[in-house]
Each structure stands twice: as structure tokens, then as C-alpha cells.
PDB file of all heavy atoms in Angstrom:
ATOM      1  N   THR A   1     -18.254  66.695 -48.249  1.00  0.00           N
ATOM      2  CA  THR A   1     -17.621  67.998 -48.168  1.00  0.00           C
ATOM      3  C   THR A   1     -16.462  67.996 -49.153  1.00  0.00           C
ATOM      4  O   THR A   1     -15.637  67.082 -49.151  1.00  0.00           O
ATOM      5  CB  THR A   1     -17.101  68.276 -46.746  1.00  0.00           C
ATOM      6  OG1 THR A   1     -18.223  68.481 -45.870  1.00  0.00           O
ATOM      7  CG2 THR A   1     -16.225  69.519 -46.712  1.00  0.00           C
ATOM      8  N   MET A   2     -16.432  69.013 -50.004  1.00  0.00           N
ATOM      9  CA  MET A   2     -15.389  69.127 -51.007  1.00  0.00           C
ATOM     10  C   MET A   2     -14.460  70.282 -50.637  1.00  0.00           C
ATOM     11  O   MET A   2     -14.900  71.309 -50.113  1.00  0.00           O
ATOM     12  CB  MET A   2     -15.986  69.373 -52.382  1.00  0.00           C
ATOM     13  CG  MET A   2     -16.929  68.281 -52.859  1.00  0.00           C
ATOM     14  SD  MET A   2     -16.143  66.665 -52.972  1.00  0.00           S
ATOM     15  CE  MET A   2     -14.884  66.979 -54.238  1.00  0.00           C
ATOM     16  N   ALA A   3     -13.199  70.090 -50.920  1.00  0.00           N
ATOM     17  CA  ALA A   3     -12.232  71.104 -50.528  1.00  0.00           C
ATOM     18  C   ALA A   3     -11.102  71.181 -51.543  1.00  0.00           C
ATOM     19  O   ALA A   3     -10.858  70.246 -52.307  1.00  0.00           O
ATOM     20  CB  ALA A   3     -11.666  70.794 -49.147  1.00  0.00           C
ATOM     21  N   TRP A   4     -10.426  72.304 -51.512  1.00  0.00           N
ATOM     22  CA  TRP A   4      -9.188  72.510 -52.257  1.00  0.00           C
ATOM     23  C   TRP A   4      -8.067  72.757 -51.251  1.00  0.00           C
ATOM     24  O   TRP A   4      -8.212  73.573 -50.334  1.00  0.00           O
ATOM     25  CB  TRP A   4      -9.287  73.700 -53.202  1.00  0.00           C
ATOM     26  CG  TRP A   4     -10.170  73.453 -54.379  1.00  0.00           C
ATOM     27  CD1 TRP A   4     -11.492  73.780 -54.501  1.00  0.00           C
ATOM     28  CD2 TRP A   4      -9.799  72.829 -55.611  1.00  0.00           C
ATOM     29  NE1 TRP A   4     -11.964  73.387 -55.724  1.00  0.00           N
ATOM     30  CE2 TRP A   4     -10.942  72.803 -56.437  1.00  0.00           C
ATOM     31  CE3 TRP A   4      -8.609  72.288 -56.107  1.00  0.00           C
ATOM     32  CZ2 TRP A   4     -10.928  72.263 -57.721  1.00  0.00           C
ATOM     33  CZ3 TRP A   4      -8.597  71.756 -57.377  1.00  0.00           C
ATOM     34  CH2 TRP A   4      -9.748  71.737 -58.184  1.00  0.00           C
ATOM     35  N   TYR A   5      -6.978  72.034 -51.448  1.00  0.00           N
ATOM     36  CA  TYR A   5      -5.758  72.231 -50.683  1.00  0.00           C
ATOM     37  C   TYR A   5      -4.660  72.637 -51.657  1.00  0.00           C
ATOM     38  O   TYR A   5      -4.803  72.459 -52.875  1.00  0.00           O
ATOM     39  CB  TYR A   5      -5.340  70.938 -49.974  1.00  0.00           C
ATOM     40  CG  TYR A   5      -6.160  70.566 -48.770  1.00  0.00           C
ATOM     41  CD1 TYR A   5      -7.461  70.085 -48.897  1.00  0.00           C
ATOM     42  CD2 TYR A   5      -5.630  70.675 -47.489  1.00  0.00           C
ATOM     43  CE1 TYR A   5      -8.217  69.741 -47.779  1.00  0.00           C
ATOM     44  CE2 TYR A   5      -6.371  70.328 -46.361  1.00  0.00           C
ATOM     45  CZ  TYR A   5      -7.653  69.859 -46.523  1.00  0.00           C
ATOM     46  OH  TYR A   5      -8.392  69.516 -45.415  1.00  0.00           O
ATOM     47  N   ARG A   6      -3.574  73.128 -51.113  1.00  0.00           N
ATOM     48  CA  ARG A   6      -2.420  73.413 -51.960  1.00  0.00           C
ATOM     49  C   ARG A   6      -1.130  73.085 -51.217  1.00  0.00           C
ATOM     50  O   ARG A   6      -1.093  73.087 -49.989  1.00  0.00           O
ATOM     51  CB  ARG A   6      -2.417  74.869 -52.424  1.00  0.00           C
ATOM     52  CG  ARG A   6      -2.091  75.880 -51.347  1.00  0.00           C
ATOM     53  CD  ARG A   6      -2.242  77.299 -51.912  1.00  0.00           C
ATOM     54  NE  ARG A   6      -1.776  78.320 -50.973  1.00  0.00           N
ATOM     55  CZ  ARG A   6      -1.917  79.626 -51.183  1.00  0.00           C
ATOM     56  NH1 ARG A   6      -2.521  80.074 -52.285  1.00  0.00           N
ATOM     57  NH2 ARG A   6      -1.456  80.492 -50.302  1.00  0.00           N
ATOM     58  N   GLN A   7      -0.110  72.808 -52.002  1.00  0.00           N
ATOM     59  CA  GLN A   7       1.209  72.516 -51.433  1.00  0.00           C
ATOM     60  C   GLN A   7       2.278  73.156 -52.293  1.00  0.00           C
ATOM     61  O   GLN A   7       2.411  72.816 -53.473  1.00  0.00           O
ATOM     62  CB  GLN A   7       1.431  71.003 -51.320  1.00  0.00           C
ATOM     63  CG  GLN A   7       2.695  70.637 -50.563  1.00  0.00           C
ATOM     64  CD  GLN A   7       2.741  69.168 -50.195  1.00  0.00           C
ATOM     65  OE1 GLN A   7       2.045  68.338 -50.777  1.00  0.00           O
ATOM     66  NE2 GLN A   7       3.544  68.827 -49.214  1.00  0.00           N
ATOM     67  N   ALA A   8       2.994  74.086 -51.704  1.00  0.00           N
ATOM     68  CA  ALA A   8       4.116  74.735 -52.371  1.00  0.00           C
ATOM     69  C   ALA A   8       5.386  73.948 -52.071  1.00  0.00           C
ATOM     70  O   ALA A   8       5.457  73.229 -51.070  1.00  0.00           O
ATOM     71  CB  ALA A   8       4.241  76.171 -51.902  1.00  0.00           C
ATOM     72  N   PRO A   9       6.396  74.087 -52.913  1.00  0.00           N
ATOM     73  CA  PRO A   9       7.663  73.354 -52.694  1.00  0.00           C
ATOM     74  C   PRO A   9       8.232  73.636 -51.306  1.00  0.00           C
ATOM     75  O   PRO A   9       8.354  74.799 -50.897  1.00  0.00           O
ATOM     76  CB  PRO A   9       8.565  73.884 -53.793  1.00  0.00           C
ATOM     77  CG  PRO A   9       7.634  74.305 -54.881  1.00  0.00           C
ATOM     78  CD  PRO A   9       6.427  74.847 -54.175  1.00  0.00           C
ATOM     79  N   GLY A  10       8.564  72.582 -50.584  1.00  0.00           N
ATOM     80  CA  GLY A  10       9.164  72.733 -49.268  1.00  0.00           C
ATOM     81  C   GLY A  10       8.204  73.096 -48.160  1.00  0.00           C
ATOM     82  O   GLY A  10       8.635  73.321 -47.026  1.00  0.00           O
ATOM     83  N   LYS A  11       6.911  73.135 -48.471  1.00  0.00           N
ATOM     84  CA  LYS A  11       5.920  73.515 -47.465  1.00  0.00           C
ATOM     85  C   LYS A  11       4.901  72.399 -47.281  1.00  0.00           C
ATOM     86  O   LYS A  11       4.757  71.517 -48.119  1.00  0.00           O
ATOM     87  CB  LYS A  11       5.212  74.810 -47.866  1.00  0.00           C
ATOM     88  CG  LYS A  11       6.126  76.022 -47.895  1.00  0.00           C
ATOM     89  CD  LYS A  11       5.326  77.291 -48.103  1.00  0.00           C
ATOM     90  CE  LYS A  11       6.213  78.521 -48.039  1.00  0.00           C
ATOM     91  NZ  LYS A  11       5.444  79.784 -48.207  1.00  0.00           N
ATOM     92  N   GLN A  12       4.184  72.475 -46.155  1.00  0.00           N
ATOM     93  CA  GLN A  12       3.150  71.487 -45.895  1.00  0.00           C
ATOM     94  C   GLN A  12       1.899  71.797 -46.717  1.00  0.00           C
ATOM     95  O   GLN A  12       1.649  72.942 -47.102  1.00  0.00           O
ATOM     96  CB  GLN A  12       2.793  71.493 -44.404  1.00  0.00           C
ATOM     97  CG  GLN A  12       3.863  70.904 -43.511  1.00  0.00           C
ATOM     98  CD  GLN A  12       3.388  70.696 -42.088  1.00  0.00           C
ATOM     99  OE1 GLN A  12       2.499  71.420 -41.615  1.00  0.00           O
ATOM    100  NE2 GLN A  12       3.958  69.734 -41.395  1.00  0.00           N
ATOM    101  N   ARG A  13       1.119  70.771 -46.959  1.00  0.00           N
ATOM    102  CA  ARG A  13      -0.155  70.949 -47.641  1.00  0.00           C
ATOM    103  C   ARG A  13      -1.086  71.736 -46.715  1.00  0.00           C
ATOM    104  O   ARG A  13      -1.147  71.467 -45.505  1.00  0.00           O
ATOM    105  CB  ARG A  13      -0.759  69.600 -47.995  1.00  0.00           C
ATOM    106  CG  ARG A  13      -1.929  69.665 -48.935  1.00  0.00           C
ATOM    107  CD  ARG A  13      -2.351  68.282 -49.402  1.00  0.00           C
ATOM    108  NE  ARG A  13      -1.309  67.615 -50.174  1.00  0.00           N
ATOM    109  CZ  ARG A  13      -1.493  66.471 -50.836  1.00  0.00           C
ATOM    110  NH1 ARG A  13      -2.670  65.884 -50.832  1.00  0.00           N
ATOM    111  NH2 ARG A  13      -0.496  65.918 -51.500  1.00  0.00           N
ATOM    112  N   GLU A  14      -1.815  72.698 -47.291  1.00  0.00           N
ATOM    113  CA  GLU A  14      -2.688  73.546 -46.491  1.00  0.00           C
ATOM    114  C   GLU A  14      -4.056  73.689 -47.136  1.00  0.00           C
ATOM    115  O   GLU A  14      -4.178  73.658 -48.369  1.00  0.00           O
ATOM    116  CB  GLU A  14      -2.063  74.934 -46.295  1.00  0.00           C
ATOM    117  CG  GLU A  14      -1.761  75.695 -47.567  1.00  0.00           C
ATOM    118  CD  GLU A  14      -1.010  76.988 -47.338  1.00  0.00           C
ATOM    119  OE1 GLU A  14      -0.718  77.344 -46.171  1.00  0.00           O
ATOM    120  OE2 GLU A  14      -0.698  77.670 -48.342  1.00  0.00           O
ATOM    121  N   LEU A  15      -5.053  73.853 -46.281  1.00  0.00           N
ATOM    122  CA  LEU A  15      -6.415  74.038 -46.760  1.00  0.00           C
ATOM    123  C   LEU A  15      -6.567  75.422 -47.376  1.00  0.00           C
ATOM    124  O   LEU A  15      -6.172  76.421 -46.783  1.00  0.00           O
ATOM    125  CB  LEU A  15      -7.400  73.869 -45.613  1.00  0.00           C
ATOM    126  CG  LEU A  15      -8.878  74.124 -45.935  1.00  0.00           C
ATOM    127  CD1 LEU A  15      -9.410  73.075 -46.891  1.00  0.00           C
ATOM    128  CD2 LEU A  15      -9.703  74.148 -44.648  1.00  0.00           C
ATOM    129  N   VAL A  16      -7.183  75.468 -48.548  1.00  0.00           N
ATOM    130  CA  VAL A  16      -7.461  76.729 -49.218  1.00  0.00           C
ATOM    131  C   VAL A  16      -8.923  77.128 -49.006  1.00  0.00           C
ATOM    132  O   VAL A  16      -9.221  78.241 -48.583  1.00  0.00           O
ATOM    133  CB  VAL A  16      -7.153  76.624 -50.722  1.00  0.00           C
ATOM    134  CG1 VAL A  16      -7.566  77.898 -51.447  1.00  0.00           C
ATOM    135  CG2 VAL A  16      -5.682  76.309 -50.958  1.00  0.00           C
ATOM    136  N   ALA A  17      -9.827  76.198 -49.303  1.00  0.00           N
ATOM    137  CA  ALA A  17     -11.262  76.477 -49.185  1.00  0.00           C
ATOM    138  C   ALA A  17     -12.009  75.159 -49.148  1.00  0.00           C
ATOM    139  O   ALA A  17     -11.532  74.146 -49.664  1.00  0.00           O
ATOM    140  CB  ALA A  17     -11.751  77.316 -50.362  1.00  0.00           C
ATOM    141  N   GLN A  18     -13.181  75.181 -48.522  1.00  0.00           N
ATOM    142  CA  GLN A  18     -14.017  74.004 -48.516  1.00  0.00           C
ATOM    143  C   GLN A  18     -15.479  74.397 -48.635  1.00  0.00           C
ATOM    144  O   GLN A  18     -15.860  75.527 -48.324  1.00  0.00           O
ATOM    145  CB  GLN A  18     -13.804  73.160 -47.267  1.00  0.00           C
ATOM    146  CG  GLN A  18     -14.310  73.785 -45.981  1.00  0.00           C
ATOM    147  CD  GLN A  18     -14.161  72.847 -44.795  1.00  0.00           C
ATOM    148  OE1 GLN A  18     -13.258  72.014 -44.746  1.00  0.00           O
ATOM    149  NE2 GLN A  18     -15.051  72.984 -43.828  1.00  0.00           N
ATOM    150  N   ILE A  19     -16.296  73.453 -49.111  1.00  0.00           N
ATOM    151  CA  ILE A  19     -17.735  73.663 -49.221  1.00  0.00           C
ATOM    152  C   ILE A  19     -18.425  72.385 -48.775  1.00  0.00           C
ATOM    153  O   ILE A  19     -18.101  71.292 -49.254  1.00  0.00           O
ATOM    154  CB  ILE A  19     -18.118  74.084 -50.662  1.00  0.00           C
ATOM    155  CG1 ILE A  19     -19.623  74.363 -50.752  1.00  0.00           C
ATOM    156  CG2 ILE A  19     -17.674  73.061 -51.695  1.00  0.00           C
ATOM    157  CD1 ILE A  19     -20.014  75.090 -52.051  1.00  0.00           C
ATOM    158  N   THR A  20     -19.356  72.522 -47.854  1.00  0.00           N
ATOM    159  CA  THR A  20     -20.041  71.357 -47.319  1.00  0.00           C
ATOM    160  C   THR A  20     -21.131  70.874 -48.276  1.00  0.00           C
ATOM    161  O   THR A  20     -21.443  71.537 -49.277  1.00  0.00           O
ATOM    162  CB  THR A  20     -20.678  71.669 -45.964  1.00  0.00           C
ATOM    163  OG1 THR A  20     -21.753  72.603 -46.170  1.00  0.00           O
ATOM    164  CG2 THR A  20     -19.664  72.261 -44.995  1.00  0.00           C
ATOM    165  N   SER A  21     -21.725  69.751 -47.939  1.00  0.00           N
ATOM    166  CA  SER A  21     -22.821  69.231 -48.756  1.00  0.00           C
ATOM    167  C   SER A  21     -23.987  70.206 -48.780  1.00  0.00           C
ATOM    168  O   SER A  21     -24.744  70.257 -49.760  1.00  0.00           O
ATOM    169  CB  SER A  21     -23.282  67.872 -48.229  1.00  0.00           C
ATOM    170  OG  SER A  21     -23.692  67.976 -46.875  1.00  0.00           O
ATOM    171  N   GLY A  22     -24.124  71.008 -47.737  1.00  0.00           N
ATOM    172  CA  GLY A  22     -25.203  71.985 -47.669  1.00  0.00           C
ATOM    173  C   GLY A  22     -24.868  73.318 -48.295  1.00  0.00           C
ATOM    174  O   GLY A  22     -25.700  74.233 -48.313  1.00  0.00           O
ATOM    175  N   GLY A  23     -23.619  73.459 -48.772  1.00  0.00           N
ATOM    176  CA  GLY A  23     -23.234  74.691 -49.453  1.00  0.00           C
ATOM    177  C   GLY A  23     -22.525  75.707 -48.584  1.00  0.00           C
ATOM    178  O   GLY A  23     -22.203  76.809 -49.050  1.00  0.00           O
ATOM    179  N   THR A  24     -22.256  75.372 -47.328  1.00  0.00           N
ATOM    180  CA  THR A  24     -21.518  76.293 -46.464  1.00  0.00           C
ATOM    181  C   THR A  24     -20.051  76.319 -46.868  1.00  0.00           C
ATOM    182  O   THR A  24     -19.442  75.265 -47.045  1.00  0.00           O
ATOM    183  CB  THR A  24     -21.634  75.866 -44.996  1.00  0.00           C
ATOM    184  OG1 THR A  24     -23.011  75.874 -44.616  1.00  0.00           O
ATOM    185  CG2 THR A  24     -20.862  76.818 -44.090  1.00  0.00           C
ATOM    186  N   THR A  25     -19.509  77.514 -46.994  1.00  0.00           N
ATOM    187  CA  THR A  25     -18.132  77.659 -47.439  1.00  0.00           C
ATOM    188  C   THR A  25     -17.238  78.179 -46.320  1.00  0.00           C
ATOM    189  O   THR A  25     -17.685  78.845 -45.391  1.00  0.00           O
ATOM    190  CB  THR A  25     -18.035  78.609 -48.634  1.00  0.00           C
ATOM    191  OG1 THR A  25     -18.586  79.877 -48.266  1.00  0.00           O
ATOM    192  CG2 THR A  25     -18.800  78.071 -49.829  1.00  0.00           C
ATOM    193  N   ASN A  26     -15.970  77.849 -46.456  1.00  0.00           N
ATOM    194  CA  ASN A  26     -14.964  78.301 -45.498  1.00  0.00           C
ATOM    195  C   ASN A  26     -13.671  78.533 -46.263  1.00  0.00           C
ATOM    196  O   ASN A  26     -13.324  77.731 -47.141  1.00  0.00           O
ATOM    197  CB  ASN A  26     -14.761  77.245 -44.409  1.00  0.00           C
ATOM    198  CG  ASN A  26     -13.806  77.703 -43.331  1.00  0.00           C
ATOM    199  OD1 ASN A  26     -13.904  78.821 -42.849  1.00  0.00           O
ATOM    200  ND2 ASN A  26     -12.883  76.843 -42.949  1.00  0.00           N
ATOM    201  N   TYR A  27     -12.964  79.620 -45.929  1.00  0.00           N
ATOM    202  CA  TYR A  27     -11.761  79.987 -46.661  1.00  0.00           C
ATOM    203  C   TYR A  27     -10.601  80.236 -45.713  1.00  0.00           C
ATOM    204  O   TYR A  27     -10.779  80.747 -44.607  1.00  0.00           O
ATOM    205  CB  TYR A  27     -11.991  81.262 -47.479  1.00  0.00           C
ATOM    206  CG  TYR A  27     -13.033  81.129 -48.548  1.00  0.00           C
ATOM    207  CD1 TYR A  27     -14.362  81.438 -48.302  1.00  0.00           C
ATOM    208  CD2 TYR A  27     -12.688  80.684 -49.825  1.00  0.00           C
ATOM    209  CE1 TYR A  27     -15.325  81.302 -49.280  1.00  0.00           C
ATOM    210  CE2 TYR A  27     -13.645  80.563 -50.820  1.00  0.00           C
ATOM    211  CZ  TYR A  27     -14.965  80.873 -50.540  1.00  0.00           C
ATOM    212  OH  TYR A  27     -15.911  80.743 -51.521  1.00  0.00           O
ATOM    213  N   ALA A  28      -9.408  79.912 -46.196  1.00  0.00           N
ATOM    214  CA  ALA A  28      -8.209  80.318 -45.469  1.00  0.00           C
ATOM    215  C   ALA A  28      -8.087  81.834 -45.552  1.00  0.00           C
ATOM    216  O   ALA A  28      -8.490  82.449 -46.551  1.00  0.00           O
ATOM    217  CB  ALA A  28      -6.982  79.658 -46.083  1.00  0.00           C
ATOM    218  N   ASP A  29      -7.533  82.431 -44.516  1.00  0.00           N
ATOM    219  CA  ASP A  29      -7.422  83.890 -44.484  1.00  0.00           C
ATOM    220  C   ASP A  29      -6.658  84.432 -45.682  1.00  0.00           C
ATOM    221  O   ASP A  29      -6.964  85.519 -46.177  1.00  0.00           O
ATOM    222  CB  ASP A  29      -6.732  84.325 -43.183  1.00  0.00           C
ATOM    223  CG  ASP A  29      -7.638  84.201 -41.972  1.00  0.00           C
ATOM    224  OD1 ASP A  29      -8.874  84.079 -42.154  1.00  0.00           O
ATOM    225  OD2 ASP A  29      -7.125  84.216 -40.841  1.00  0.00           O
ATOM    226  N   PHE A  30      -5.676  83.681 -46.157  1.00  0.00           N
ATOM    227  CA  PHE A  30      -4.824  84.209 -47.222  1.00  0.00           C
ATOM    228  C   PHE A  30      -5.510  84.237 -48.587  1.00  0.00           C
ATOM    229  O   PHE A  30      -4.941  84.759 -49.546  1.00  0.00           O
ATOM    230  CB  PHE A  30      -3.488  83.440 -47.302  1.00  0.00           C
ATOM    231  CG  PHE A  30      -3.620  81.941 -47.390  1.00  0.00           C
ATOM    232  CD1 PHE A  30      -3.952  81.326 -48.586  1.00  0.00           C
ATOM    233  CD2 PHE A  30      -3.401  81.158 -46.279  1.00  0.00           C
ATOM    234  CE1 PHE A  30      -4.069  79.946 -48.665  1.00  0.00           C
ATOM    235  CE2 PHE A  30      -3.515  79.774 -46.341  1.00  0.00           C
ATOM    236  CZ  PHE A  30      -3.847  79.171 -47.535  1.00  0.00           C
ATOM    237  N   VAL A  31      -6.719  83.693 -48.709  1.00  0.00           N
ATOM    238  CA  VAL A  31      -7.434  83.757 -49.985  1.00  0.00           C
ATOM    239  C   VAL A  31      -8.781  84.461 -49.875  1.00  0.00           C
ATOM    240  O   VAL A  31      -9.464  84.652 -50.885  1.00  0.00           O
ATOM    241  CB  VAL A  31      -7.645  82.364 -50.617  1.00  0.00           C
ATOM    242  CG1 VAL A  31      -6.316  81.670 -50.817  1.00  0.00           C
ATOM    243  CG2 VAL A  31      -8.607  81.521 -49.781  1.00  0.00           C
ATOM    244  N   LYS A  32      -9.170  84.850 -48.671  1.00  0.00           N
ATOM    245  CA  LYS A  32     -10.473  85.506 -48.507  1.00  0.00           C
ATOM    246  C   LYS A  32     -10.564  86.750 -49.368  1.00  0.00           C
ATOM    247  O   LYS A  32      -9.647  87.574 -49.391  1.00  0.00           O
ATOM    248  CB  LYS A  32     -10.689  85.855 -47.042  1.00  0.00           C
ATOM    249  CG  LYS A  32     -11.106  84.678 -46.184  1.00  0.00           C
ATOM    250  CD  LYS A  32     -11.385  85.091 -44.746  1.00  0.00           C
ATOM    251  CE  LYS A  32     -11.805  83.906 -43.906  1.00  0.00           C
ATOM    252  NZ  LYS A  32     -12.024  84.259 -42.488  1.00  0.00           N
ATOM    253  N   GLY A  33     -11.674  86.857 -50.085  1.00  0.00           N
ATOM    254  CA  GLY A  33     -11.898  87.994 -50.960  1.00  0.00           C
ATOM    255  C   GLY A  33     -11.310  87.835 -52.339  1.00  0.00           C
ATOM    256  O   GLY A  33     -11.570  88.657 -53.230  1.00  0.00           O
ATOM    257  N   ARG A  34     -10.502  86.798 -52.549  1.00  0.00           N
ATOM    258  CA  ARG A  34      -9.883  86.580 -53.864  1.00  0.00           C
ATOM    259  C   ARG A  34     -10.363  85.283 -54.521  1.00  0.00           C
ATOM    260  O   ARG A  34     -10.493  85.222 -55.743  1.00  0.00           O
ATOM    261  CB  ARG A  34      -8.356  86.542 -53.733  1.00  0.00           C
ATOM    262  CG  ARG A  34      -7.745  87.801 -53.178  1.00  0.00           C
ATOM    263  CD  ARG A  34      -6.209  87.764 -53.266  1.00  0.00           C
ATOM    264  NE  ARG A  34      -5.624  86.682 -52.492  1.00  0.00           N
ATOM    265  CZ  ARG A  34      -4.793  85.766 -52.994  1.00  0.00           C
ATOM    266  NH1 ARG A  34      -4.469  85.806 -54.284  1.00  0.00           N
ATOM    267  NH2 ARG A  34      -4.277  84.832 -52.223  1.00  0.00           N
ATOM    268  N   PHE A  35     -10.569  84.245 -53.727  1.00  0.00           N
ATOM    269  CA  PHE A  35     -10.952  82.939 -54.252  1.00  0.00           C
ATOM    270  C   PHE A  35     -12.400  82.641 -53.881  1.00  0.00           C
ATOM    271  O   PHE A  35     -12.877  83.041 -52.816  1.00  0.00           O
ATOM    272  CB  PHE A  35     -10.074  81.836 -53.663  1.00  0.00           C
ATOM    273  CG  PHE A  35      -8.629  81.843 -54.099  1.00  0.00           C
ATOM    274  CD1 PHE A  35      -8.070  82.892 -54.807  1.00  0.00           C
ATOM    275  CD2 PHE A  35      -7.818  80.760 -53.783  1.00  0.00           C
ATOM    276  CE1 PHE A  35      -6.749  82.888 -55.190  1.00  0.00           C
ATOM    277  CE2 PHE A  35      -6.480  80.733 -54.159  1.00  0.00           C
ATOM    278  CZ  PHE A  35      -5.951  81.812 -54.856  1.00  0.00           C
TER     279      PHE A  35
END
């Protein structure tokens, strides 16, 4: 499973999006429709 996380200054690392080996995707609410 591959994923992208991000970390802004002073904030915790957070999940942005992930894709499983089978191609299923999942997105954080703050990027849905954009990423």
C-alpha cells in the first residue's frame, strides 16, 4: 500500500491519500476532489 503524507511546520504528520495494491484509493477530506 502506497501513501502520501504531509507535515506542515508545527503540525503533526497527516495522511493525504493512499492506494492499495489492488488500486483502492482513500483520501483525506481536505483534499477530496482536488488531489
Side-chain angles (χ1 to χ4, degrees):
T1 290
M2 300 300 297
W4 289 95
Y5 285 73
R6 72 185 187 186
Q7 188 167 20
K11 295 188 176 181
Q12 288 190 332
R13 192 172 297 189
E14 59 186 359
L15 176 67
V16 175
Q18 69 176 30
I19 183 167
T20 68
S21 58
T24 300
T25 58
N26 184 46
Y27 297 92
D29 286 344
F30 52 78
V31 303
K32 282 183 180 177
R34 300 188 298 125
F35 291 10

